[in-house]
Amino acid sequence: MTSILFIGLLGVLFVIVFKRPILGNLGRNNKWVHKLKNVKWFQNHWLAGLFLFVMNAVLFLLTGIVLRILGYFVIPYVHLLIMFLAVIGSIYLWGLIHNAWEGSKRNRMKLGALGSSFYMLLTFTFVYWFVTLKPSYPGEDTFMRAISLLFAIIVAAVAFITCFIMTGFSKKKEAI
């Protein structure tokens, strides 16, 4: 499990380091970018940040529902595939929003902070659950629940950082 977490962290680091080429290819001739650019409310940084917050929540909840449903079937490693696809979907969404929104650097930071705050709230929730973790009955070993909460804290914090970096920092001016 540690190697999977390490590979995931390396993958996210790779995405952050190569942010510009990934986002540059995503914005060219993308119909969703053009649709979002043409919607008047999306150019307001507060509304765009709220939209990002809601979309992050929807992606998280859909992933949770799919994983819960697939939990009833004994299919080895399918949950890793679903989580990998969720990460790809999130990065795709963040790239779309990064390319579609236009405004000042300060307002882009506000958009990124508001939109990625969903993952910060999730991190705080997991930390609270971790700190207040108690056995359900006397003598219960809570080690596995503590480990899963620790992984959830790491994943949510990395998602916050990645979302904030991808949506909150300014686009490089394109050469003419």
Side-chain angles (χ1 to χ4, degrees):
M1 196 66 179
T2 305
S3 61
I4 292 172
L5 187 63
F6 182 69
I7 291 169
L9 287 173
L10 286 178
V12 169
L13 183 64
F14 177 80
V15 168
I16 290 172
V17 169
F18 295 107
K19 173 185 143 188
R20 296 228 188 268
I22 292 170
L23 293 177
N25 291 333
L26 186 60
R28 292 191 184 117
N29 301 323
N30 190 302
K31 70 177 183 175
W32 292 107
V33 170
H34 293 297
K35 283 183 181 186
L36 284 174
K37 274 186 179 182
N38 294 330
V39 178
K40 186 167 178 65
W41 64 264
F42 187 75
Q43 296 310 317
N44 179 330
H45 59 278
W46 295 115
L47 294 176
L50 184 63
F51 174 74
L52 178 59
F53 183 95
V54 169
M55 291 306 295
N56 283 334
V58 166
L59 283 172
F60 178 79
L61 290 174
L62 284 176
T63 304
I65 289 169
V66 169
L67 287 174
R68 181 74 174 181
I69 290 170
L70 289 176
Y72 292 110
F73 305 105
V74 183
I75 306 171
Y77 305 110
V78 74
H79 64 286
L80 296 175
L81 176 65
I82 298 301
M83 289 187 285
F84 177 74
L85 293 174
V87 168
I88 298 298
S90 294
I91 291 172
Y92 182 76
L93 170 73
W94 301 336
L96 291 177
I97 289 175
H98 175 85
N99 287 323
W101 196 83
E102 295 174 349
S104 67
K105 290 180 182 182
R106 184 180 196 139
N107 287 342
R108 182 175 284 278
M109 294 288 275
K110 291 177 189 175
L111 176 148
L114 179 60
S116 62
S117 67
F118 170 77
Y119 292 111
M120 183 56 72
L121 292 173
L122 203 58
T123 303
F124 290 150
T125 302
F126 291 145
V127 167
Y128 175 76
W129 288 351
F130 184 80
V131 170
T132 61
L133 184 63
K134 293 180 182 160
S136 301
Y137 56 88
E140 178 190 24
D141 186 13
T142 58
F143 178 75
M144 290 308 289
R145 269 196 285 165
I147 291 295
S148 64
L149 284 172
L150 186 63
F151 282 159
I153 290 166
I154 292 169
V155 168
V158 168
F160 166 75
I161 293 167
T162 307
C163 180
F164 184 68
I165 288 173
M166 289 193 71
T167 59
F169 289 97
S170 297
K171 292 195 270 189
K172 183 179 178 184
K173 304 253 191 258
E174 292 185 21
I176 300 175

